[in-house]
């Protein structure tokens, strides 16, 4: 079954975990839809709290949220900010500029029992060895959401900004098949 929280409960949890004055109605709506298993496109102004949506979801729902993010500095900032809030169930695997030998070790460092958010550079979705390792990893943890962060970069800079974004649909279907075929929401 899907989880349900009313707006007041979502607001209380967001204030508790993220030390914010309150959850915006748009954020609550998106989190609510994700909790019902719906995919959502969240278009909000810069600094409006889009990232908080999938971060809150990852705390509320058992399993793992995969965040596909193209900007290493943004990932580092989010890891730092979450750590400052006491949220340490977060890992990141950066882009394909690392040698193949490091690909396995980077996934091996992710504890499937405790990690709730895993940031992945889109280029990882094109590395067959990583996908093979990820398939093994999927047997240890339930993946319940793919969040595409900074998706506006595609519309602003065109599809050749990061061609790896074209692999997200295939990656989602591949995870769904590995986990028994249940459709997984995307935000």
């Amino acid at each position: 079954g899907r989880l349900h929280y009313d707006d007041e409960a979502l607001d209380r949890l967001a204030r508790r975990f993220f030390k914010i004055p309150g959850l915006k109605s748009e954020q609550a709506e998106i989190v609510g839809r994700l909790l019902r298993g719906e995919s959502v496109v969240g278009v909000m102004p810069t600094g409006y709290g889009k990232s908080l949506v999938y971060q809150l979801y990852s705390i509320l729902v058992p399993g793992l949220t995969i965040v596909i993010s193209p900007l290493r500095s943004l990932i580092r900032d989010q890891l730092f900010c979450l750590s400052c809030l006491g949220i340490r169930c977060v890992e990141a695997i950066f882009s394909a500029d690392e040698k193949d030998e490091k690909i396995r070790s980077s996934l091996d460092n992710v504890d499937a029992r405790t990690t709730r958010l895993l940031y992945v550079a889109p280029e990882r979705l094109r590395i067959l060895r990583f996908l093979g390792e990820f398939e093994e990893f999927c047997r240890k943890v339930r993946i319940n959401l793919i969040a595409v962060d900074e998706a506006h970069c595609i519309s602003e800079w065109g599809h050749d900004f990061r061609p790896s974004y074209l692999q997200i649909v295939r990656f989602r279907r591949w995870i769904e098949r590995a986990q028994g075929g249940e459709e997984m929401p995307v935000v």
Side-chain angles (χ1 to χ4, degrees):
R2 300 285 182 200
L3 296 174
H4 175 74
Y5 294 87
D6 63 32
D7 287 353
E8 184 180 327
L10 286 175
D11 184 65
R12 201 169 37 254
L13 290 165
R15 285 186 283 123
R16 157 76 174 79
F17 288 112
F18 296 98
K19 316 288 190 260
I20 59 172
L23 201 58
K24 295 174 181 76
S25 61
E26 296 87 349
Q27 292 169 314
E29 179 186 345
I30 292 170
V31 174
R33 290 180 63 187
L34 291 173
L35 291 170
R36 291 190 298 273
E38 299 173 25
S39 290
V40 182
V41 174
V43 179
M44 294 184 264
T46 299
Y48 205 73
K50 293 179 292 292
S51 300
L52 183 131
V53 168
Y54 61 75
Q55 292 168 350
L56 178 59
Y57 176 90
S58 73
I59 291 170
L60 298 176
V61 179
L64 183 66
T65 294
I66 304 290
V67 182
I68 300 171
S69 181
L71 306 172
R72 188 181 288 220
S73 60
L74 179 68
I75 293 171
R76 285 194 176 118
D77 286 350
Q78 288 192 21
L79 293 175
F80 176 75
C81 290
L82 289 167
S83 177
C84 289
L85 291 169
I87 301 170
R88 294 185 175 84
C89 51
V90 183
E91 294 287 343
I93 300 175
F94 293 110
S95 68
D97 60 0
E98 301 172 28
K99 296 189 184 301
D100 274 354
E101 305 85 64
K102 291 186 178 180
I103 293 171
R104 183 174 181 86
S105 64
S106 62
L107 196 52
D108 281 346
N109 291 334
V110 178
D111 186 338
R113 297 166 305 181
T114 60
T115 303
R116 301 300 286 268
L117 267 168
L118 177 61
Y119 288 82
V120 177
E123 287 74 19
R124 288 288 172 167
L125 307 183
R126 298 175 69 181
I127 301 172
L128 292 177
R129 184 168 177 192
F130 172 74
L131 293 173
E133 298 294 333
F134 198 81
E135 183 174 16
E136 183 180 320
F137 182 75
C138 279
R139 293 189 190 112
K140 301 176 198 170
V141 65
R142 178 84 183 155
I143 314 293
N144 30 1
L145 178 68
I146 294 177
V148 182
D149 206 6
E150 300 300 312
H152 69 279
C153 294
I154 302 166
S155 63
E156 286 179 22
W157 297 329
H159 70 280
D160 26 343
F161 162 64
R162 297 293 266 273
S164 301
Y165 274 101
L166 299 172
Q167 303 302 315
I168 294 172
V169 171
R170 187 178 73 169
F171 183 63
R172 175 189 182 198
R173 288 185 183 134
W174 179 81
I175 291 172
E176 289 171 346
R177 277 193 304 272
Q179 296 188 141
E182 185 180 339
E183 191 171 308
M184 174 179 38
V186 176
V187 64

